[in-house]
């Protein structure tokens, strides 16, 4: 009824000669992955909603000429560790209108949301995190990831109960699923992990999981089995990074699980290098490796390649390290696969980090769509907007009006030049905005206008489970 009233109101205003809409985006190539629309249209925005998508002329108080540009639903990043104003700026300039921390998650959930409400450039959300809960109970001294107790020893039965109690509370407080990084808590027993899957199933929330390190097939079998026996939906994060050379096998396994009725999804980022905490379990035992392994590591803070000596020094200090360990063929296979979503796994801190924190979506559009033709433009938009929205919409009703570009949907819109859009961030200098995004709107408010980031606006809303 609200949509009908808005259209009637717009009609009367048009007849009276007054602008019918707050904002009109004129003559854009509109891509709506939900309906399949791919055509030149005019978009009318009233308040926070899309009120019209029409081939007929529209009038607005503010009118944008988007001739030659693409208008798509704003991108939804399910895997964004950077949850600060600095990171949100890079996201907005990369076409992202919602960024969520779903792999590691947070705790306490209520405090995390409260700290961002009314202050965020883009939409934000987080899962109830197993890692932060385990770190709190076991008194681990790490930051984002464990570096001692929660990494090095098994939890006692009493500690497991305490961990589950914290995760349960955070799910009660609206955590968007459960975040779980088993590779960072290798001493967490299979019983502990299964019990947490069962907890997520009771809340009907997905588990966003970084599976165990080591044998890719066995690690993926563990979480698929836990999803099957518990009934919890499963989302396997960065499949190209977790599986590397075995990415095709991992994708076959997920395809097979889905074909047999399991709710399993996955994602990938478009870079051949990963990044994580050097003090984490991901680098346990590296001290004994051959010298050539250390040359695969880059220290973002200085841009240096590591040696055995510098590795030992930085591991003691702590911080993020970039590791080159994948091939472009494996990345392309994941990015182009029909069931794989796009997600960044990004974070920028004080201008340092991995380029995926700033350039993921522009890189997909510029390199993999325009230059390599590995996938089509509509497919890339679908993987970046509608598919992530659908992953969350059963538990987070706000997502039902995102990832679409149609009447009644939220006015979260990315307008870009398909011939120019490209990532500029590099491994040596990650803090560079993407190029080609001309306009980005979050609930009808410009956060990027004429290719320039807008300051003093905070339209971002909390995305949480209900």
């Amino acid at each position: 009824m609200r949509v009908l009233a808005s259209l009637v109101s717009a009609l009367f205003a048009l007849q009276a000669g007054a602008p019918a809409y707050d904002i009109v985006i004129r003559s854009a190539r509109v891509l709506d992955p939900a309906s399949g629309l791919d055509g030149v249209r005019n978009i009318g925005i009233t308040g926070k909603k899309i009120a019209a998508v029409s081939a007929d002329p529209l009038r607005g108080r503010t009118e944008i000429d988007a001739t030659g540009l693409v208008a798509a639903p704003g991108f939804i990043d399910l895997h964004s560790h950077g949850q600060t104003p600095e990171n949100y700026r890079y996201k907005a300039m990369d076409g992202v209108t919602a960024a969520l921390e779903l792999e590691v998650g947070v705790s306490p959930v209520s405090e995390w949301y409260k700290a961002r409400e009314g202050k965020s450039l883009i939409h934000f959300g987080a899962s109830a995190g197993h890692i932060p809960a385990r770190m709190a109970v076991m008194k681990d001294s790490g930051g984002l990831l464990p570096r001692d107790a929660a990494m090095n020893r098994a939890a006692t039965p009493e500690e497991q109960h305490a961990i589950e109690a914290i995760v349960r509370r955070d799910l009660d407080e609206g955590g968007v699923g459960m975040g779980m990084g088993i590779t960072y808590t290798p001493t967490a027993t299979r019983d502990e992990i299964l019990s947490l899957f069962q907890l997520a199933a009771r809340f009907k929330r997905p588990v966003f999981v970084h599976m165990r390190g080591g044998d890719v097939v066995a690690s993926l079998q563990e979480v698929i089995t836990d999803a099957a026996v518990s009934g919890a939906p499963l989302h396997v994060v960065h499949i190209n990074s977790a599986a590397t050379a075995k990415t095709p096998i991992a994708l076959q396994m997920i395809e097979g699980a889905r074909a047999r009725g399991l709710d399993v999804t996955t994602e990938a980022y478009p870079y051949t290098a990963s990044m994580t905490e050097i003090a984490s379990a991901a680098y346990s035992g590296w001290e004994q490796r051959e010298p050539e392994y250390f040359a695969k590591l880059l220290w973002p803070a200085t841009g240096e390649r590591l040696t055995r000596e510098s590795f030992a020094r930085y591991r003691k200090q702590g911080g993020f390290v970039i590791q080159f360990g994948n091939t472009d063929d494996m990345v392309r296979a994941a990015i182009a696969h029909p069931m794989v979503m796009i997600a960044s796994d990004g974070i920028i801190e004080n201008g340092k980090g991995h380029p995926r924190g700033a350039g993921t979506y522009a890189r997909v559009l510029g390199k993999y769509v325009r230059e390599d033709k590995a996938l089509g433009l509509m497919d890339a938009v679908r993987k970046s907007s509608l598919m992530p929205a659908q992953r969350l919409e059963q538990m987070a009703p706000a997502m039902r009006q995102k990832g679409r570009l149609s009447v009644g949907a939220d006015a979260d819109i990315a307008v870009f030049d398909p011939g120019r859009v490209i990532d500029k961030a590099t491994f040596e200098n990650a803090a560079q905005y993407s190029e080609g995004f001309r306009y980005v709107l979050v609930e009808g408010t410009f956060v990027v206008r004429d290719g320039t980031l807008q300051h003093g606006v905070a339209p971002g809303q909390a995305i949480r489970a209900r």
Side-chain angles (χ1 to χ4, degrees), residues 96-407:
V96 175
T97 54
L100 300 95
E101 163 58 279
L102 300 183
E103 178 207 29
V104 173
V106 303
S107 186
V109 160
S110 59
E111 292 181 14
W112 187 90
Y113 276 100
K114 185 177 180 181
R116 287 159 180 79
E117 287 172 357
K119 304 173 186 176
S120 179
L121 190 68
I122 62 174
H123 304 309
F124 55 92
S127 66
H130 170 233
I131 285 177
R134 201 172 203 267
M135 290 172 67
V137 169
M138 300 179 75
K139 297 180 171 53
D140 191 282
S141 66
L144 176 68
L145 300 173
R147 63 180 301 165
D148 40 61
M151 175 177 85
N152 295 331
R153 69 175 179 84
T156 66
E158 293 76 18
E159 286 172 331
Q160 286 191 39
H161 289 312
I163 292 166
E164 286 197 23
I166 291 174
V167 176
R168 185 182 302 108
R169 177 205 65 197
D170 289 335
L171 289 168
D172 272 329
E173 292 178 357
V176 184
M178 181 188 296
M180 184 181 293
I182 314 175
T183 195
Y184 298 114
T185 58
T187 52
T189 65
R190 295 181 186 275
D191 289 354
E192 179 179 340
I193 300 304
L194 174 58
S195 181
L196 288 161
F197 266 81
Q198 291 167 335
L199 174 61
R202 290 197 290 275
F203 279 83
K204 298 181 180 178
R205 310 266 174 91
V207 180
F208 297 86
V209 63
H210 185 153
M211 58 191 185
R212 290 186 197 273
D215 185 332
V216 171
V217 172
S219 299
L220 190 50
Q221 284 173 337
E222 177 188 12
V223 293
I224 289 176
T225 300
D226 286 352
V229 301
S230 68
L234 169 64
H235 183 84
V236 180
V237 303
H238 52 46
I239 194 65
N240 56 320
S241 179
T244 58
K246 292 190 175 181
T247 295
I249 297 173
L251 290 171
Q252 288 173 15
M253 292 174 67
I254 294 172
E255 282 182 318
R258 290 169 58 86
R260 285 151 187 83
L262 293 183
D263 185 359
V264 184
T265 54
T266 192
E267 66 186 45
Y269 57 78
Y271 295 89
T272 57
S274 60
M275 187 179 78
T276 194
E277 282 271 5
I278 197 170
S280 74
Y283 289 100
S284 295
W286 264 62
E287 292 83 357
Q288 310 307 317
R289 293 203 175 194
E290 296 300 317
E292 59 266 23
Y293 280 94
F294 300 101
K296 297 177 181 179
L297 305 179
L298 183 148
W299 194 246
T302 63
E304 70 187 287
R305 292 288 183 140
L306 299 193
T307 63
R308 188 187 305 278
E309 292 72 27
S310 58
F311 172 84
R313 183 171 70 253
Y314 287 132
R315 184 161 165 81
K316 184 176 181 181
Q317 170 188 314
F320 287 107
V321 66
I322 291 172
Q323 179 181 342
F324 293 86
N326 211 340
T327 68
D328 197 52
D329 286 343
M330 289 301 101
V331 173
R332 187 180 291 104
I335 293 297
H337 195 285
M339 73 179 176
V340 176
M341 304 175 201
I342 307 300
S344 74
D345 190 14
I347 183 169
I348 304 286
E349 289 187 344
N350 300 316
K352 301 294 182 180
H354 190 295
R356 64 194 181 189
T360 286
Y361 295 88
R363 183 171 179 80
V364 169
L365 295 171
K367 174 175 170 54
Y368 290 98
V369 173
R370 184 178 66 244
E371 296 175 3
D372 293 359
K373 297 179 173 52
L375 71 165
L377 185 56
M378 180 68 89
D379 288 337
V381 168
R382 179 183 296 107
K383 289 166 171 287
S384 304
S385 59
L386 180 63
M387 288 173 66
Q390 290 174 328
R391 172 75 278 186
L392 303 181
E393 63 187 19
Q394 288 188 343
M395 60 175 168
M399 301 309 290
R400 297 170 189 165
Q401 304 305 323
K402 300 188 187 299
R404 289 92 168 161
L405 213 167
S406 56
V407 173

